């Protein structure tokens, strides 16, 4: 077998295995070679490569729908020049998706309108296109869903479902004043994902104001400890995008 043929043979076997066609993975190449059809291996490898691309594309479409990511909020519509170098550098690194394998959290802080939600959504879109499973949710609505699940005694099942997502993006944590019950289910979610799955969040509140979210000092510091322990912090110290836009419009 020539080197090229061997490469094609290896690729075919590998692809069939990844499609979970285990018997075919073992039999196809040896049988073709025995029957003297080595010539066909290149074409078969090529066709299976197309199958792989099509499967990836379908998976990405499925993940994109399930992610509930806001559609237009991608890097294509994001002006990166507005970000500081440290945030940009961190974002470029996060785009590799490696942080998901290490259950590292991403915490975006800054005043309203500075692009926290847009940037984390854009990051989410990039990860989805790599085949990663992401869920985007306003914190408030996820908290309501968790509360309802708790009331129906199905909170563990709901948490297991969320566990399927490699990244849960909680948009606007602490935007609303939460009741103790709401704070408790939010804490349960964070504790559940701690050191196993990544969580990203955006917040207008600095940590010192977080007892407004978790109500008591102990729960607040426990939540912050868990989030920060393995995390990348993105600080948005830029002027509000909306205000800047409005200003430049007035100038026109
Ligand atoms: P935050 O979550 O920090 O309150 P958003 O991400 O919601 O802010 O941004 C407010 C609005 O301004 C959104 O419509 C967003 O798309 C837009 N925006 C913010 N920053 C940028 C940016 N750097 N480039 C393009 N649009 C931006
Ligand atoms: Mg926001």
């Amino acid at each position: 077998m020539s080197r090229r043929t061997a490469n094609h043979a290896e690729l075919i076997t590998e692809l069939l295995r990844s499609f979970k066609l285990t018997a075919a993975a073992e039999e196809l190449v040896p049988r073709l070679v025995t029957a003297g059809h080595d010539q066909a291996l290149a074409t078969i490898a090529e066709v299976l490569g197309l199958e792989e691309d099509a499967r990836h594309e379908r998976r990405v479409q499925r993940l994109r729908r399930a992610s509930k990511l806001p559609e237009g909020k991608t890097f294509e519509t994001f002006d990166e020049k507005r970000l500081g170098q440290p945030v940009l550098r961190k974002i470029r690194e996060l785009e590799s998706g490696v942080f998901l394998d290490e259950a590292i959290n991403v915490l975006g802080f800054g005043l309203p309108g500075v692009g926290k939600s847009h940037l984390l959504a854009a990051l989410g879109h990039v990860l989805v296109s790599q085949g990663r499973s992401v869920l985007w949710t306003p914190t408030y609505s996820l908290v309501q869903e968790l509360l309802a699940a708790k009331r129906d005694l199905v909170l563990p099942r709901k948490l297991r479902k969320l566990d399927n997502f490699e990244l849960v993006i909680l948009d606007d944590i602490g935007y609303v004043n939460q009741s103790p019950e709401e704070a408790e289910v939010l804490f349960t979610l964070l504790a559940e994902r701690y050191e196993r799955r990544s969580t990203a969040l955006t917040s207008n509140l600095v940590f010192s104001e977080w007892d407004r979210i978790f109500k008591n000092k102990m729960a607040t510091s426990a939540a912050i400890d868990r989030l920060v322990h393995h995390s990348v912090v993105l600080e948005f110290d830029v002027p509000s995008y909306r205000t800047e836009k409005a200003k430049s419009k007035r100038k026109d």
Side-chain angles (χ1 to χ4, degrees):
M1 216 190 271
S2 76
R3 175 111 169 268
R4 267 190 64 195
T5 314
N7 285 346
H8 290 140
E10 215 171 278
L11 184 59
I12 291 169
T13 309
E14 202 178 288
L15 286 170
L16 288 173
R17 263 199 214 116
S18 76
F19 302 156
K20 306 255 177 337
L21 299 171
T22 43
E26 270 170 38
E27 298 296 327
L28 188 62
V29 172
R31 288 195 191 207
L32 282 169
V33 173
T34 310
H37 296 314
D38 303 39
Q39 303 278 13
L41 294 178
T43 309
I44 295 175
E46 195 181 317
V47 172
L48 293 180
L50 294 176
E51 174 68 25
E52 186 188 37
D53 293 346
R55 283 181 183 221
H56 179 75
E57 195 43 48
R58 280 199 299 274
R59 181 176 152 75
V60 167
Q61 277 173 13
R62 205 170 50 238
L63 290 171
R64 180 113 39 216
R65 268 195 306 275
S67 74
K68 307 208 174 94
L69 278 161
E71 252 174 48
K73 304 295 177 188
T74 61
F75 281 114
E76 278 74 55
T77 55
F78 191 80
D79 178 6
E80 293 186 353
K81 289 194 291 299
R82 290 178 43 82
L83 293 179
Q85 274 305 315
V87 171
L88 255 182
R89 243 195 328 271
K90 287 177 191 172
I91 279 290
R92 288 289 96 88
E93 204 170 310
L94 292 169
E95 279 176 335
S96 72
V98 172
F99 74 102
L100 300 174
D101 303 322
E102 297 166 354
I104 288 172
N105 301 321
V106 180
L107 315 174
F109 291 103
L111 296 172
V114 291
K116 302 182 296 295
S117 299
H118 191 145
L119 185 65
L120 283 194
L123 175 64
H125 280 292
V126 168
L127 296 169
V128 163
S129 63
Q130 293 166 4
R132 301 290 203 152
S133 56
V134 174
L135 177 71
W136 167 275
T137 174
T139 309
Y140 179 78
S141 44
L142 185 63
V143 163
Q144 295 313 308
E145 284 174 35
L146 291 172
L147 269 186
K150 191 175 177 201
R151 231 173 281 130
D152 300 340
L153 307 176
V154 291
L155 185 58
R157 198 195 306 161
K158 174 83 187 163
L159 290 170
R160 266 203 308 282
K161 268 200 184 152
L162 290 171
D163 220 55
N164 292 330
F165 293 102
E166 295 175 274
L167 179 65
V168 171
I169 304 175
L170 298 171
D171 190 36
D172 248 332
I173 193 172
Y175 184 64
V176 281
N177 258 334
Q178 288 167 339
S179 71
E181 292 74 33
E182 289 168 335
E184 194 197 312
V185 286
L186 180 57
F187 184 83
T188 306
L189 171 69
L190 297 178
E192 189 66 28
R193 293 183 74 81
Y194 176 61
E195 292 199 317
R196 293 190 311 108
R197 288 295 204 191
S198 295
T199 306
L201 58 84
T202 69
S203 178
N204 306 331
L205 301 177
V206 294
F207 281 138
S208 58
E209 299 169 312
W210 273 36
D211 42 6
R212 282 198 235 156
I213 308 174
F214 291 100
K215 300 304 160 195
N216 71 62
K217 287 238 163 342
M218 269 237 302
T220 305
S221 66
I224 292 174
D225 279 352
R226 281 177 173 77
L227 280 168
V228 173
H229 188 191
H230 310 281
S231 69
V232 174
V233 175
L234 307 173
E235 302 215 47
F236 294 71
D237 43 11
V238 294
S240 157
Y241 187 78
R242 282 182 283 242
T243 334
E244 294 273 296
K245 274 258 134 135
K247 266 194 217 152
S248 68
K249 257 206 194 117
R250 253 178 270 140
K251 268 189 229 140
D252 294 342

